[in-house]
Amino acid sequence: MSYREFRAPTGLLPVVACLWRNDTLVDGTERVVPDGCVDLVWLGDGPPLVVGPDTGPVVWEPTGVPTCGVRLRQGAAGNVLGLPASAVRDLQVPLTEVWPEAGALSEQVATAGDTAECLRLLAGAVLHRRVTPDPLATEAARRLADREIRVADLAAELGVGERQLHRRVTAAVGYAPKTLARVARLRRLIGADEAPTMSLADQALAAGYASQAHMTDEVHRLTGVTPVRFLEDVRLTAA
């Protein structure tokens, strides 16, 4: 069983982070934690879904067959979907509820029976939208991913007011900037190469948490488990 990511076709690189296939769900469950992305997902049966940006953990149940999806980049979802990404936050909705004109596409995906064909259809539908990400939201997400920064300071660096930053990021990503910052901090906790040799307290400070207690509270809110359990699961998955 495995989860694999594939590079998006060249024409989709500005708006698609990756295509993916997940065999883990054939006969197992999987805990998915917030990553700030919106996915177009096919669960191996039925019509494709739009899976919005989560603000907490979601446990996916076994599907019996491989699943696959197209992951939109942070800052691209609003324009690709044609509505504020916040409208699908914490939701899983049929693609036709977002794109009413996608009835034929939805039927083709539902009956394809093959993940490669489903990915081709979903990627083609995204390409057909011919949209670009919101550059302000994309830059905000990039800076928040790199370091801890106050939203007021981020807005000043980007040359906009906090209200405009809040509106643009919420529409494009699905989170308000402060929520996006919390998710970005969790991703830094996962991504530190030297983390396995560091104490939990040092990992917390390196990721941008005020203290180990702050990290424990935040990790539990976003993932539903303790930092130790969460980091162990992440490393086992990565291995």
Side-chain angles (χ1 to χ4, degrees):
M1 295 188 296
S2 63
Y3 167 80
R4 286 170 288 171
E5 294 183 351
F6 310 99
R7 187 175 186 272
T10 302
L12 287 175
L13 287 175
V15 296
V16 172
C18 70
L19 314 181
W20 56 265
R21 169 178 166 138
N22 193 349
D23 295 341
T24 306
L25 288 174
V26 172
D27 56 6
T29 61
E30 184 169 13
R31 179 184 299 271
V32 176
V33 302
D35 64 359
C37 294
V38 173
D39 289 62
L40 308 184
V41 175
W42 183 61
L43 295 176
D45 188 20
L49 303 174
V50 175
V51 178
D54 299 315
T55 58
V58 176
V59 177
W60 288 84
E61 299 297 329
T63 60
V65 290
T67 60
C68 63
V70 174
R71 179 159 303 141
L72 305 178
R73 292 189 183 279
Q74 290 182 352
N79 286 349
V80 171
L81 298 179
L83 50 71
S86 55
V88 294
R89 183 171 55 217
D90 292 321
L91 296 176
Q92 301 161 17
V93 300
L95 182 61
T96 49
E97 288 191 14
V98 178
W99 295 341
E101 72 280 11
L105 168 69
S106 187
E107 290 182 9
Q108 290 173 333
V109 172
T111 58
D114 176 84
T115 55
E117 176 64 6
C118 287
L119 288 174
R120 187 189 69 78
L121 290 167
L122 291 174
V126 175
L127 183 63
H128 185 69
R129 305 289 291 181
R130 301 186 186 282
V131 298
T132 57
D134 182 321
L136 178 69
T138 300
E139 182 61 14
R142 187 187 69 79
R143 297 196 188 199
L144 288 170
D146 288 342
R147 62 191 173 98
E148 193 71 9
I149 180 173
R150 294 174 63 248
V151 172
D153 294 336
L154 175 62
E157 287 186 10
L158 296 176
V160 297
E162 285 189 64
R163 182 173 299 181
Q164 182 179 175
L165 181 67
H166 182 282
R167 179 178 59 79
R168 298 263 298 266
V169 169
T170 302
V173 180
Y175 298 149
K178 287 185 178 179
T179 302
L180 182 57
R182 293 174 58 214
V183 171
R185 192 164 47 204
L186 181 71
R187 308 311 294 184
R188 287 198 298 274
L189 181 65
I190 298 171
D193 292 336
E194 67 279 12
T197 64
M198 299 168 65
S199 69
L200 276 179
D202 287 342
Q203 289 182 63
L205 296 177
Y209 295 100
S211 64
Q212 183 174 338
H214 179 212
M215 175 186 69
T216 298
D217 181 61
E218 278 286 280
V219 169
H220 191 268
R221 287 173 183 270
L222 291 172
T223 72
V225 296
T226 67
V228 171
R229 165 75 186 285
F230 172 61
L231 291 171
E232 285 178 350
D233 286 352
V234 167
R235 287 162 191 157
L236 284 173
T237 301

